[in-house]
Amino acid sequence: MPKKTAKYSQDGIDDLPNDKPVLYRIKTQNGNTNYAGIAKRGRVRDRINEHLGEIPGTKVQIEQFSSIKDAQKKEVGVIKQSKPKYNDKGK
């Protein structure tokens, strides 16, 4: 599914599509993932905005999926592989 990267700021987040479920990654300047999460269709921008000011990052990358279940499966693998600093342990 399509991926899109934007600045991790209010303006950048406002430019992200909101029409499909996504896996999002908040990334550092070096490209490391600080946080990975999922958002349902229609909640993408709101969900990422909840992290502004709490989780540091310079950009956010989203990957769209046809279903939230597909996004959840991918999220588990991403967290297991990249071990993001701000994700809860045991997910």
Side-chain angles (χ1 to χ4, degrees), residues 33-90:
T33 300
N34 262 352
Y35 185 83
I38 57 169
K40 295 178 181 177
R41 181 185 63 180
R43 286 259 311 132
V44 175
R45 296 177 193 135
D46 292 339
R47 184 70 185 112
I48 298 169
N49 269 323
E50 291 173 9
H51 301 301
L52 274 176
E54 292 183 24
I55 297 176
T58 58
K59 57 188 167 185
V60 61
Q61 180 184 64
I62 66 162
E63 184 175 355
Q64 293 183 312
F65 291 88
S66 56
S67 73
I68 195 69
K69 282 188 174 197
D70 290 342
Q72 288 169 331
K73 287 179 192 174
K74 179 78 179 226
E75 178 193 29
V76 170
V78 166
I79 291 172
K80 186 180 272 188
Q81 181 181 18
S82 62
K83 297 177 179 44
K85 181 177 180 178
Y86 291 90
N87 280 89
D88 291 336
K89 302 285 188 237

Side-chain angles (χ1 to χ4, degrees), residues 12-29:
I13 293 168
D14 286 346
D15 288 338
L16 294 173
N18 210 24
D19 61 339
K20 293 182 182 176
V22 301
L23 165 69
Y24 61 92
R25 303 173 201 203
I26 299 171
K27 297 188 162 251
T28 66
Q29 187 171 358

